[in-house]
């Protein structure tokens, strides 16, 4: 059973907000900011990781480190939405390192992907591998990002 907001108290929520700002804070720093002892803070953090409230501890690197990058937002429409075909598509997209996000959505598209490549040529090669051989893909539309206006992984948790 997945963890829900109802499973967390106000202190858990405060810890999660603070970790989204900077997950390198020590338990002493976090404890001071939420009003707990460092031991109690560590115990809560362990529980939040074990129960899946904290999915991952990562560092988000600057895109400039990877050199020039092309970020494409791709809308994919499928011919059929049979369960086995959906699972196959989801698994295939999850396996491509170029696909950094994949969403199963409602509307005129079935999936929205965020695809990162080093060039348009690389993106073209990706589409030839990922889309063209798949007879269940009815169409795909690509939107190439010209500028990142906002990017965050932070989820707003109202802890007022």
């Amino acid at each position: 059973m997945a963890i829900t907001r109802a499973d967390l108290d106000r202190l858990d929520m405060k810890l999660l907000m603070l970790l989204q700002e900077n997950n390198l804070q020590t338990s002493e720093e976090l404890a001071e900011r939420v009003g707990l002892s460092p031991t109690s803070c560590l115990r809560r953090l362990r529980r939040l990781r074990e129960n899946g409230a904290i999915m991952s501890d990562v560092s988000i690197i600057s895109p400039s480190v990877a050199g020039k990058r092309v970020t494409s937002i791709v809308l994919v429409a499928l011919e059929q939405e049979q369960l086995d075909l959906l699972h196959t598509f989801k698994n295939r997209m999850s396996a491509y390192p170029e696909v950094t996000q994949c969403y199963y959505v409602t509307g005129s598209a079935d999936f929205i992907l965020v695809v990162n490549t080093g060039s348009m040529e690389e993106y073209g090669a990706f589409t030839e591998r990922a889309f063209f051989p798949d007879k269940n893909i009815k169409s795909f539309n690509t939107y190439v990002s010209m500028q990142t206006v906002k990017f965050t992984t932070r989820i707003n948790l109202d802890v007022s």
Side-chain angles (χ1 to χ4, degrees):
M1 186 157 118
I3 182 98
T4 67
R5 186 174 181 127
D7 300 319
L8 305 174
D9 65 18
R10 190 172 164 281
L11 293 172
D12 291 333
M13 298 301 281
K14 284 179 78 171
L15 280 170
L16 292 173
M17 283 296 291
L18 291 169
L19 289 172
Q20 287 185 104
E21 292 170 14
N22 176 4
N23 73 342
L24 295 179
Q25 296 174 80
T26 66
S27 58
E28 290 80 13
E29 292 168 325
L30 289 166
E32 184 176 317
R33 292 185 70 186
V34 297
L36 290 169
S37 71
T39 304
S40 182
C41 186
L42 273 174
R43 190 171 27 255
R44 282 177 180 266
L45 291 172
R46 188 176 312 112
R47 180 178 48 81
L48 290 169
R49 286 183 174 94
E50 288 172 356
N51 68 20
I54 298 173
M55 292 171 49
S56 181
D57 288 294
V58 300
S59 295
I60 299 170
I61 65 166
S62 170
S64 64
V65 171
K68 287 190 170 183
R69 301 303 293 172
V70 175
T71 300
S72 302
I73 295 83
V74 186
L75 283 65
V76 180
L78 301 179
E79 288 286 351
Q80 300 176 33
E81 289 189 72
Q82 294 170 298
L83 199 54
D84 61 329
L85 297 173
L86 287 173
H87 286 306
T88 298
F89 183 83
K90 290 175 186 178
N91 289 336
R92 285 186 47 249
M93 291 306 110
S94 295
Y96 285 109
E98 298 92 339
V99 177
T100 57
Q101 298 173 55
C102 179
Y103 301 95
Y104 180 41
V105 298
T106 62
S108 60
D110 296 304
F111 288 89
I112 296 178
L113 311 175
V114 177
V115 179
N116 284 286
T117 55
S119 66
M120 286 305 295
E121 290 79 15
E122 280 184 32
Y123 177 72
F126 165 78
T127 63
E128 289 175 9
R129 286 190 325 275
F131 300 149
F132 290 111
D134 188 337
K135 300 299 182 209
N136 194 40
I137 294 179
K138 181 179 1 182
S139 64
F140 67 94
N141 294 305
T142 303
Y143 299 86
V144 178
S145 173
M146 295 188 300
Q147 179 184 44
T148 301
V149 176
K150 179 180 181 178
F151 173 85
T152 184
T153 59
R154 184 177 182 183
I155 297 172
N156 187 24
L157 304 172
D158 184 18
V159 291
S160 53

